[in-house]
Amino acid sequence: MKKKLISIYAATAAMTGATGAMAQEQLHKEITVEREIVPELRASSRLNLYPRPLTFKPSKVTLEPSDYLETGEITPMIATLEPAQTAAAAPLTPYRGYVDAGYFPLSEVCLSAGYAVVQTDKTRMNVWGQFDNNSYSGRPMDDAGKADLWNMAAVAGVDFSHRFGEAGTLSASTAFTYDAFTRPNAFLAKAFGEETDFARNQNVVQWDIKALWSGHAGNDVDYHAGAGFGLMDFGKGVSFAGMNSVTADATDERDFNVDLGLEKRFGSSRAGVDFDGRFAHYTVFRGAMPDMADADVAEEWARRSGKTIGVLSFRPYYRYVAGKAALKAGVKLDFSVNSGKVFHVAPDVMLAVNPASGFGGWIALGGGEELNSLRELFGITRFVSPLRAYKTSNMPL
């Protein structure tokens, strides 16, 4: 308990000037008041605030590459690319054209030339040509005499492409090829004592034209559509002079191709389907050569009619790319047209690994029906028979 003391002081002074006397009066009084005062202690609470780190969770964004189909730049050099998908391409040159020629005695000649008629960011058109000629002496077989053989090939073509913004790219090309060469069949027939009149020299004419549209439909959907036509004509057939005087004309080929595809992207994954059709028409469709000593059989074989065969392929697939590895899993459904078994099924699987630039490997599992056109066989060997045509072939895997 505490006591509070209150004091009151008062003083009054009065002065009068009449008599010159001064009077002073002072008043003083003390008053004491007692009261109880209880101090109050207020409760306090601690603030629950502590320093702590703040975390940020940025959203993951995946950038998808954009593919454009267009013809490559003409380069006047031969470069060996690394065996990997990430290998760098041959460097571009600052020139719009090139000429490359070579000669080795006595008749080894080659000439290659090309020029970019149009070369802009969106449009490109190139013209090019190639000529090769060589001759040599050799024996087609040990029992045959020495023969002078030669071959000449000349090809010229035009490539064109134009990109229509983000809608897609249109590309087209055409090429004309002329081959002339010596066939060893005449020397072989003479060595075997046969009376077959093989033309010593043969010539072949080829022409190709094709076009392709690669577009983007939005919503990460890409598609393409293409078509092509080609022809191949042999200049000379075969005359069996000593075998009932039967003459077999050469087989000419006409090729028709169509290619369609649709693909949807899902981040690192893609799912799509491809469809293509390949057809070959032969003016004369002959199989293996029969016994030409029989006049009726030989005549029937030499005069056989034409035929058209083909393969339709339907290939759904799924592709996944994860860093340095890529996986493709699909199936190939083939339908043969006018040639053997109609329906075929084969896997279409590939696993590729690219651990470093300049090194990569892959393993593939496939199969299906194949069209054995004369154009493809002629690309392997120009000495393919001008009389025969071949059916489709199938690989189970």
Side-chain angles (χ1 to χ4, degrees):
M1 178 182 297
K2 295 183 179 180
K3 295 184 178 180
K4 185 177 181 181
L5 180 63
I6 300 176
S7 300
I8 301 175
Y9 297 91
T12 304
M15 300 177 63
T16 58
T19 57
M22 180 178 62
Q24 180 177 0
E25 183 179 2
Q26 295 181 349
L27 298 177
H28 178 77
K29 188 176 182 178
E30 293 183 357
I31 300 176
T32 302
V33 179
E34 294 183 358
R35 180 181 178 183
E36 292 184 0
I37 299 176
V38 181
E40 181 180 357
L41 181 63
R42 297 181 179 180
S44 62
S45 61
R46 178 180 296 177
L47 298 178
N48 295 325
L49 297 177
Y50 301 95
R52 64 181 185 275
L54 300 179
T55 59
F56 299 91
K57 296 181 178 180
S59 59
K60 185 178 179 180
V61 178
T62 303
L63 299 179
E64 294 294 335
S66 180
D67 300 328
Y68 297 97
L69 180 63
E70 58 185 25
T71 57
E73 294 284 354
I74 300 175
T75 56
M77 61 178 293
I78 298 177
T80 302
L81 302 181
E82 300 178 27
Q85 297 178 357
T86 57
L92 301 180
T93 71
Y95 309 106
R96 298 182 63 174
Y98 71 94
V99 175
D100 188 10
Y103 171 74
F104 185 82
L106 293 174
S107 59
E108 307 290 329
V109 179
C110 65
L111 175 64
S112 179
Y115 184 75
V117 180
V118 180
Q119 183 173 320
T120 65
D121 293 339
K122 294 183 177 181
T123 305
R124 295 182 180 181
M125 185 174 70
N126 304 322
V127 294
W128 53 272
Q130 177 80 28
F131 174 82
D132 296 285
N133 181 85
N134 60 77
S135 63
Y136 56 95
S137 297
R139 299 178 185 271
M141 60 179 297
D142 293 338
D143 296 335
K146 196 172 184 180
D148 294 329
L149 305 174
W150 68 278
N151 60 77
M152 183 270 291
V155 57
V158 179
D159 299 328
F160 171 82
S161 70
H162 180 77
R163 187 172 69 246
F164 295 85
E166 297 182 357
T169 302
L170 175 66
S171 58
S173 63
T174 184
F176 179 84
T177 306
Y178 178 80
D179 290 90
F181 52 94
T182 303
R183 289 183 58 86
N185 302 68
F187 305 100
L188 295 176
K190 183 178 180 181
F192 288 134
E194 298 179 356
E195 298 183 14
T196 305
D197 184 13
F198 283 95
R200 187 170 186 266
N201 297 326
Q202 180 66 276
N203 61 281
V204 177
V205 173
Q206 298 183 70
W207 177 57
D208 300 280
I209 183 171
K210 58 185 177 181
L212 177 68
W213 168 262
S214 300
H216 309 279
N219 298 322
D220 297 329
V221 176
D222 300 327
Y223 67 96
H224 67 269
F229 169 78
L231 63 83
M232 177 177 179
D233 293 344
F234 286 96
K236 300 177 182 179
V238 177
S239 176
F240 301 90
M243 300 179 182
N244 304 311
S245 299
V246 175
T247 300
D249 295 332
T251 298
D252 297 331
E253 183 181 79
R254 304 291 182 267
D255 296 321
F256 306 90
N257 304 317
V258 62
D259 184 14
L260 304 173
L262 183 68
E263 185 178 74
K264 168 68 175 179
R265 298 191 300 270
F266 304 92
S268 299
S269 303
R270 299 188 179 192
V273 59
D274 290 330
F275 171 82
D276 62 77
R278 299 181 58 201
F279 296 89
H281 173 74
Y282 302 95
T283 56
V284 182
F285 195 92
R286 305 185 187 96
M289 184 181 298
D291 183 8
M292 300 302 291
D294 189 325
D296 294 336
V297 173
E299 186 69 23
E300 186 275 334
W301 181 82
R303 299 289 178 264
R304 286 185 179 178
S305 60
K307 186 178 181 179
T308 301
I309 62 176
V311 176
L312 297 174
S313 298
F314 182 78
R315 301 188 303 274
Y317 64 88
Y318 170 79
R319 182 181 290 111
Y320 178 74
V321 179
K324 300 179 180 180
L327 171 66
K328 178 185 178 182
V331 62
K332 185 178 180 183
L333 309 176
D334 294 331
F335 300 87
S336 298
V337 179
N338 207 17
S339 179
K341 184 180 177 181
V342 175
F343 182 65
H344 306 269
V345 180
D348 185 15
V349 180
M350 184 185 72
L351 175 63
V353 180
N354 188 197
S357 176
F359 177 78
W362 70 92
I363 181 171
L365 183 64
E369 194 76 0
E370 296 295 335
L371 182 66
N372 301 305
S373 66
L374 290 177
R375 298 165 59 82
E376 293 179 342
L377 297 177
F378 186 81
I380 299 174
T381 171
R382 64 185 59 208
F383 301 133
V384 63
S385 173
L387 304 181
R388 295 188 56 185
Y390 301 87
K391 296 182 178 180
T392 58
S393 59
N394 173 261
M395 293 185 295
L397 291 178

